[in-house]
């Protein structure tokens, strides 16, 4: 495998990990007020992402950093073309981080309400805008961007609701299951439209044979998402979360498959890549560092794997 291909796959993997892990973070942040009735339940909901949300953001930093080092022309073109939405994404992430950190340090209900608003806005902006950015990148259409944003936002809410149901007990768990079922009424139709648009961005809708792997990935993502909804309805939260995570991952694989070998109009992967020496050095650094990063994050999820119980405040 050529180093340009290898690093495109690595970057696709990093973005996929970010979408899967931050997806439920965003969903939990958006759902926290709806799933909780008092301060104890609010802490229970937000506690599901408390130990992991900042680690999940590292996937974005690593993905963007790898793009800058391995494909500087792709990095520059993407950030220049979508400057405003990406700035809004960064603003949202900053506001969300402030809300999550500050909330644990304030004692007045009004201050906590401002933190909760910041968490909601900071979760909703990236959840919508990432879908809009990549849909517009594929189709260069405002309508496609809107559909992509609705899809990514609704799937994040569904993914987050399933995660809360998996990680909590009592009334919050029941509300999270109901929220997942309600959100599926938007997420499933949006998934059919948005995921069908990924392979059709490269070939005509009727020409399945021209991009069979893209269509296979998109259709598998739809099927697995529907299976996740059925599983949460049956109370199988663990398998439902596996299904929603797999659906996001399959959709991301189809997305980056559609971006290969031209991630931007008029720009190929080979034309965007750094020199062989730079790619070679990056490969050695990545092979040494990445296993430690993955191992640490897997260990942190294992340590905080138990369900949370609402405690009286």
């Amino acid at each position: 495998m050529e180093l340009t291909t290898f690093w495109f796959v690595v970057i696709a993997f990093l973005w996929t990990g970010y979408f899967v892990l931050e997806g439920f973070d965003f969903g939990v942040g958006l759902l926290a007020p709806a799933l909780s009735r008092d301060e104890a339940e609010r802490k229970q909901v937000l506690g599901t992402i408390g130990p992991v949300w900042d680690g999940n953001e590292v996937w974005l930093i690593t993905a963007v950093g790898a793009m800058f080092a391995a494909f500087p022309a792709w990095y520059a073109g993407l950030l220049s073309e979508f400057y405003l939405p990406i700035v809004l994404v960064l603003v949202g992430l900053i506001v969300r981080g402030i809300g999550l950190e500050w909330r644990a340090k304030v004692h007045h209900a009004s201050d906590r309400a401002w933190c909760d608003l910041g968490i909601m806005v900071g979760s909703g902006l990236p959840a919508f805008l990432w879908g809009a950015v990549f849909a517009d990148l594929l189709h260069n259409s405002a309508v496609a961007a809107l559909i992509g944003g609705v899809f990514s936002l609704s799937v994040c809410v569904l993914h987050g609701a399933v995660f809360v149901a998996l990680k909590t007990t009592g009334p919050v768990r029941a509300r999270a299951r109901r929220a997942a079922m309600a959100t599926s009424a938007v997420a499933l139709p949006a998934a059919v439209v948005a995921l069908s648009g990924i392979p059709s961005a490269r070939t005509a809708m009727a020409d399945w044979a021209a991009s069979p792997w893209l269509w296979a990935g998109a259709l598998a993502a739809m099927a697995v998402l529907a299976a996740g909804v059925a599983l949460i309805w049956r109370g199988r939260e663990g398998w439902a979360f596996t299904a929603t995570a797999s659906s996001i991952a399959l959709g991301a694989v189809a997305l980056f498959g559609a971006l290969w070998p031209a991630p931007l109009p008029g720009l190929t992967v080979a034309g965007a890549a750094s020199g062989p020496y730079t790619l070679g050095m990056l490969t050695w650094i990545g092979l040494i560092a990445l296993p430690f990063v993955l191992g640490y994050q897997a260990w942190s999820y294992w340590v905080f794997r138990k369900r949370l119980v609402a405690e009286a405040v």
Side-chain angles (χ1 to χ4, degrees):
M1 180 185 295
E2 295 182 353
L3 287 180
T4 52
T5 304
F6 172 77
W7 274 100
F8 184 87
V9 172
V10 169
I11 290 168
F13 169 75
L14 293 171
W15 275 105
T16 300
Y18 171 70
F19 291 148
V20 170
L21 298 176
E22 279 280 76
F24 68 76
D25 279 355
F26 296 149
V28 172
L30 285 164
L31 285 169
L35 298 182
S36 52
R37 298 293 181 266
D38 54 34
E39 181 60 19
E41 289 184 349
R42 187 69 55 88
K43 287 184 176 181
Q44 183 187 17
V45 173
L46 294 176
T48 62
I49 61 172
V52 298
W53 69 268
D54 49 354
N56 293 342
E57 286 187 355
V58 173
W59 287 78
L60 174 63
I61 298 169
T62 309
V64 174
M67 288 177 66
F68 172 76
F71 301 101
W74 183 15
Y75 166 89
L78 182 67
L79 269 65
S80 298
E81 184 174 352
F82 298 102
Y83 180 80
L84 180 58
I86 290 177
V87 167
L88 290 176
V89 166
L90 295 177
V91 169
L93 294 176
I94 292 169
V95 169
R96 183 185 68 141
I98 293 172
L100 286 167
E101 292 292 340
W102 192 28
R103 197 182 195 285
K105 298 175 176 61
V106 298
H107 305 287
H108 297 290
S110 59
D111 293 332
R112 288 196 294 265
W114 280 108
C115 292
D116 292 338
L117 178 61
I119 294 168
M120 286 185 64
V121 173
S123 299
L125 274 176
F128 178 85
L129 288 172
W130 282 128
V133 164
F134 282 100
D136 188 67
L137 180 62
L138 285 177
H139 295 279
N140 192 27
S141 163
V143 174
L146 178 61
I147 294 172
V150 170
F151 163 67
S152 61
L153 180 64
S154 60
V155 169
C156 283
V157 173
L158 174 60
H159 195 36
V162 173
F163 184 72
V164 173
L166 174 65
K167 292 287 291 178
T168 59
T169 59
V172 169
R173 179 185 180 189
R175 291 186 207 116
R177 288 177 58 188
R178 291 195 295 269
M181 296 302 301
T183 306
S184 67
V186 177
L188 290 178
V192 172
V193 178
L195 291 171
S196 297
I198 293 176
S200 64
R202 293 302 188 194
T203 59
M205 289 286 289
D207 193 6
W208 292 53
S211 53
W213 293 111
L214 294 183
W215 278 109
L219 293 173
M222 298 178 209
V224 174
L225 188 65
V229 173
L231 287 164
I232 193 66
W233 177 73
R234 297 185 61 185
R236 306 292 296 275
E237 291 97 343
W239 285 108
F241 180 74
T242 301
T244 55
S246 299
S247 177
I248 295 172
L250 287 166
V253 169
L255 168 66
F256 282 92
L259 293 177
W260 173 269
L264 289 174
L267 181 69
T268 64
V269 169
S274 297
Y277 178 78
T278 301
L279 292 177
M281 289 296 296
L282 286 174
T283 301
W284 283 110
I285 294 170
L287 290 175
I288 294 171
L290 194 58
F292 289 99
V293 175
L294 295 176
Y296 170 78
Q297 191 157 34
W299 174 80
S300 66
Y301 275 93
W302 175 256
V303 169
F304 297 104
R305 67 189 182 278
K306 293 183 179 180
R307 292 182 184 269
L308 301 181
V309 179
E311 298 180 356
V313 178

